């Protein structure tokens, strides 16, 4: 039976929508971070105070503000307060360089920067560079977010977040439409400068109505914890859009999501829904801090960012009894559009289209490919971004009428499930046939000795051969014997032309902040 999706009204402000949904839950805890808790009533009031603070600071509707903030309670207050005021928050990665931030400030023409104190040395360096990028342009003012437990009064001379919300709450939300610009997210910039991806108020609603409601099935009594940060499209849905749409409670963590830090929150806060990435699941299973099943309260987990290896999913479920719903989303589509379903998980696949979305696989000429063959992935759905800001060429290449070209390669199985084959620019042509690095990596990770693997192509007298970079599990020594064993292991499970001719042992793999293996950096090692 096809899912029934209810559209938002034409006059729609997402922050006001959430406030109305949760008015009867004013006393319930909305957020827990490393230092404090915030109820739904407090979230609504402080978001509206933030909206007033933006007006007092001279920020006008549709102007941009840059949020360079760790995952603390201040971030959802700022994000929702900006939406409430009709101001456009641009939430950015907290792991970037001063050059990256300077580019984003100049490109977005941000009128205000709000930064966590721990990040201020890098942010200040970025502000100093802004005038160099655009001659005669003064950097925007900067406000420092409340310190977290590990900070010691960083950048106290600058205006504070407390001062910004120290005023009366805004009486009315901005009269926005569902198609009005609400916020931006910057793409990873793996193929050039980061792209400012522009989303609407309705796009947030649609991800909650499609994936949040019909796949995740998140409930009011859930406690949600996302290792993926709020500055990712994935994390924004996990820790704001979905839980606040049903009145659930959210655990935020400012520090880096190591296995030890995540295990601590799983024990202490006992979340019922956990959102991670494949690398983290693998590290958690290999960690001495892995909690016992009886120490956690997990009922469901999700994974995105990279394809989840079958062996990792099966081991995790065997240990905790909770399934991992592996899926794929993108900054451009805002969240997951292909996903496994609870009770129907097929590890090693990305599942089926999320209700409300259509996908198609096409060859290089744009023609449909049959089941079993690899093709380029196209998506159609209600949460697609409007454009890349001030980047017409990239916008035209990606947003193709109703369809969006993802840049991913997939194959569709006869049962309707989709299998990830890799990014289009990572695919290899070996002996005239496509080889998916993901496929080889997943087989390698089935071996008991392997923690992670990254596969690239190397030139061998004009011919492309596969080469694997392998991270072994703790206690396993890199030897010629284990290398020979791993090659034979792959050869016995895949076509002969796919096995890695060369195998290099490394301590770790280069990854993006979302946990994706940076194969271009591996190619630089060849």
């Amino acid at each position: 039976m096809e899912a029934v999706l209810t559209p938002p009204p034409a006059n729609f402000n997402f922050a006001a929508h959430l406030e109305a949904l949760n008015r009867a839950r004013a006393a319930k805890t909305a957020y827990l971070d490393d230092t404090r808790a915030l109820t739904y009533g407090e979230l609504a009031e402080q978001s509206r105070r933030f909206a007033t603070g933006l007006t007092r600071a001279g920020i006008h509707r549709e102007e941009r503000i840059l949020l360079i903030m760790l995952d603390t309670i201040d971030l959802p207050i700022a994000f929702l307060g900006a939406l409430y005021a009709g101001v456009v928050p641009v939430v950015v990665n907290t792991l970037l360089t001063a050059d990256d931030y300077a580019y984003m400030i100049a490109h977005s023409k941000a009128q205000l920067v709000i930064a966590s104190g721990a990040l201020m040395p890098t942010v200040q360096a970025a502000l100093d560079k802004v005038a160099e990028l655009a001659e005669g342009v003064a950097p925007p003012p900067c406000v420092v977010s409340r310190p977290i437990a590990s900070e010691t009064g960083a950048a106290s001379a600058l205006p504070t977040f407390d001062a910004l919300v120290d005023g009366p709450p805004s009486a009315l939300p901005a009269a926005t439409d569902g198609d009005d610009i609400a916020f931006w997210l910057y793409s990873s910039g793996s193929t050039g400068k980061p792209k400012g991806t522009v989303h609407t108020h309705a796009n947030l609603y649609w991800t909650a109505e499609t994936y949040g409601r019909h796949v995740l099935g998140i409930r009011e009594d859930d406690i949600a914890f996302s290792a993926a940060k709020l500055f990712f499209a994935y994390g924004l849905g996990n820790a704001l859009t979905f839980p606040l749409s049903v009145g659930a409670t959210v655990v935020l963590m400012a520090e880096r999501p190591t296995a030890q830090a995540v295990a601590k929150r799983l024990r202490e806060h006992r979340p019922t829904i956990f959102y991670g990435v494949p690398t983290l699941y693998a590290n958690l299973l290999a960690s001495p801090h892995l909690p016992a099943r009886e120490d956690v309260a997990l009922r469901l987990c999700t994974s995105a960012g990279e394809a989840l290896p079958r062996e990792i999913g099966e081991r995790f479920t065997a240990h905790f009894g909770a399934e991992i719903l592996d899926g794929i989303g993108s900054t451009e589509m805002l969240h997951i559009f292909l996903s496994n379903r609870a009770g129907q998980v097929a590890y090693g696949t990305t599942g089926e289209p999320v209700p409300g979305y259509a996908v198609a696989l096409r060859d290089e000429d744009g023609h449909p490919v049959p089941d079993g063959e690899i093709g380029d992935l196209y998506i159609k759905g209600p949460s697609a971004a409007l454009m890349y800001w001030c980047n017409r060429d990239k916008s035209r290449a990606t947003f193709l009428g109703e369809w969006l070209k993802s840049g991913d390669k997939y194959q569709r199985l006869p049962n309707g499930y989709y299998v990830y084959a890799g990014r289009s620019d990572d695919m290899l042509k070996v002996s005239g046939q496509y080889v998916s690095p993901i496929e080889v990596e997943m087989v390698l990770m089935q071996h008991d000795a392997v923690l992670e693997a990254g596969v690239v192509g190397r030139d061998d007298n004009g011919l492309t051969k596969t080469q694997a970079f392998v991270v072994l599990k703790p206690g396993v020594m890199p030897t010629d014997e284990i290398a020979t064993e791993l090659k034979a292991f792959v050869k016995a499970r895949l076509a002969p032309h796919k096995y890695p001719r060369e195998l290099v042992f490394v301590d770790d793999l280069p990854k993006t902040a979302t946990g994706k293996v940076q194969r271009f950096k591996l190619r630089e090692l060849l």
Side-chain angles (χ1 to χ4, degrees), residues 337-341 344 350-354 415-418:
F337 48 81
L338 263 178
S339 179
N340 278 273
R341 306 290 199 280
Q344 304 172 47
T350 319
E352 302 174 287
V354 170
N415 66 358
Y417 278 51
Y418 287 76

Side-chain angles (χ1 to χ4, degrees), residues 26 39 168 277 346:
T39 66
V277 296

Side-chain angles (χ1 to χ4, degrees), residues 361-369 374-376 378:
L361 299 183
R362 302 174 185 171
D363 62 21
E364 294 174 359
D365 297 320
H367 303 305
V369 301
I374 293 173
D376 291 306
Y378 291 74

Side-chain angles (χ1 to χ4, degrees), residues 32-52:
L32 293 163
D33 70 11
D34 297 328
T35 61
R36 61 196 177 112
L38 194 76
T39 66
Y40 271 98
E42 291 167 336
L43 175 62
E45 179 171 343
Q46 292 198 36
S47 296
R48 295 170 84 180
R49 288 181 185 276
F50 184 87
T52 300

